[in-house]
Amino acid sequence: QVQLVESGGGLVQAGGSLRLSCAASGRTFSNSAVGWFRQAPGKEREFVAAVTWDGAATFYRDSVKGRFNISRDNAVNTVYLQMSRLNPEDTAVYYCACDYGVANLRIGVGRYWGRGTQVTVSS
């Protein structure tokens, strides 16, 4: 069993930055791939980024490449999403999830999910 708790969301002006954290409890977290997803009002949840269990490989949706960076610190069971050059289209509830591999995460499948943190970007 893994429990995930997101934090770091908030209100930021366009062009600003935020760093989200996904803190996990559970023995299997360090062996799991982790992904970030987001869901804007009236829209479906979408994949944002993912990182392999060892941090060796990362994946991003096209619209965030070069602006977002996903990383992890298995020593403290935490995955981060550094977001920069934010724009209003990034406004959403951001969720983290973990699974056995990134392939599942990239298609929106996750074994465990957090409850989300709100990110609002004002223009």
Side-chain angles (χ1 to χ4, degrees):
Q1 185 79 11
V2 176
Q3 292 184 328
L4 305 175
V5 179
E6 302 93 338
S7 63
L11 174 64
V12 63
Q13 288 187 333
S17 300
L18 282 174
R19 188 177 81 157
L20 305 183
S21 298
C22 172
S25 61
R27 295 183 301 170
T28 61
F29 181 76
S30 61
N31 297 324
S32 301
V34 178
W36 283 97
F37 301 79
R38 65 188 182 187
Q39 186 167 21
K43 295 186 177 180
E44 293 186 353
R45 186 175 63 200
E46 62 184 20
F47 168 80
V48 175
V51 60
T52 54
W53 70 273
D54 58 356
T58 57
F59 305 86
Y60 301 91
R61 70 179 298 106
D62 287 346
S63 63
V64 307
K65 285 181 181 178
R67 300 190 298 122
F68 290 13
N69 183 68
I70 187 170
S71 62
R72 67 188 298 162
D73 185 344
N74 286 342
V76 293
N77 277 2
T78 303
V79 171
Y80 306 98
L81 185 68
Q82 178 68 48
M83 306 185 295
S84 60
R85 289 184 281 146
L86 287 161
N87 58 63
E89 290 69 38
D90 296 316
T91 295
V93 177
Y94 283 71
Y95 302 87
C96 65
C98 66
D99 200 271
Y100 297 116
V102 293
N104 280 348
L105 293 170
R106 294 180 76 180
I107 60 172
V109 174
R111 190 176 184 196
Y112 299 104
W113 291 82
R115 295 186 176 184
T117 185
Q118 176 71 48
V119 171
T120 303
V121 185
S122 63
S123 57

